[in-house]
Amino acid sequence: MSTESHEVHHEEGEHQSMTKGRIIKVALILSAITAVEFIIALILVPHGYLNIKYANPVYIVLTLFKAFYIVAYFMHLKFEKMGLALAIIVPILFIIGLILVLTNESHHWIDLRM
């Protein structure tokens, strides 16, 4: 029998794991963003402190921040190579753009029918 030792070398920071502290930090950030969304939805908009046309873009931005944290940390894309991350992120951005364009175009067609 041969006695070969297999050593695995990892580059510095190549595959970091989610530590308990990092999980708690991300969970607190997601909770804070959700709390801001609830404050806007349940206090600011109903009582007239913030108009709904300004609240909707804020919701969208906050939701994108939450999506970033979920994808980056819990799906471990933050720790992957840039090529893999771009292969996932770029098509999603194109799909979001397509949805926005089609939504705008649908309003145009509805206006034509009236």
Side-chain angles (χ1 to χ4, degrees), residues 24-78:
I24 292 172
K25 179 182 174 185
V26 172
L28 288 175
I29 291 171
L30 292 173
S31 299
I33 293 172
T34 303
V36 170
E37 289 177 340
F38 272 106
I39 290 169
I40 292 171
L42 300 176
I43 297 172
L44 298 179
V45 173
H47 294 289
Y49 297 120
L50 185 63
N51 193 339
I52 192 69
K53 71 178 182 180
Y54 298 117
N56 283 338
V58 172
Y59 289 139
I60 293 170
V61 169
L62 291 174
T63 302
L64 289 175
F65 278 130
K66 286 190 340 186
F68 164 76
Y69 275 104
I70 291 168
V71 170
Y73 287 97
F74 294 121
M75 294 177 65
H76 304 284
L77 275 184
K78 185 174 188 312

Side-chain angles (χ1 to χ4, degrees), residues 12-19 22 76 78-79:
E12 185 69 28
E14 177 185 341
H15 236 310
Q16 301 173 0
S17 64
M18 288 291 289
T19 61
R22 186 173 287 156
H76 304 284
K78 185 174 188 312
F79 310 114

Side-chain angles (χ1 to χ4, degrees), residues 11 14 76-87:
E11 294 179 18
E14 177 185 341
H76 304 284
L77 275 184
K78 185 174 188 312
F79 310 114
E80 294 295 334
K81 300 220 181 279
M82 184 57 78
L84 177 63
L86 288 176

Side-chain angles (χ1 to χ4, degrees), residues 66 72 96 100:
K66 286 190 340 186
I96 291 170
L100 293 174

Side-chain angles (χ1 to χ4, degrees), residues 89-108:
I89 293 170
V90 171
I92 290 173
L93 291 177
F94 280 118
I95 291 170
I96 291 170
L98 179 65
I99 290 170
L100 293 174
V101 168
L102 291 176
T103 302
N104 187 29
E105 187 67 23
S106 69
H107 292 296
H108 174 71

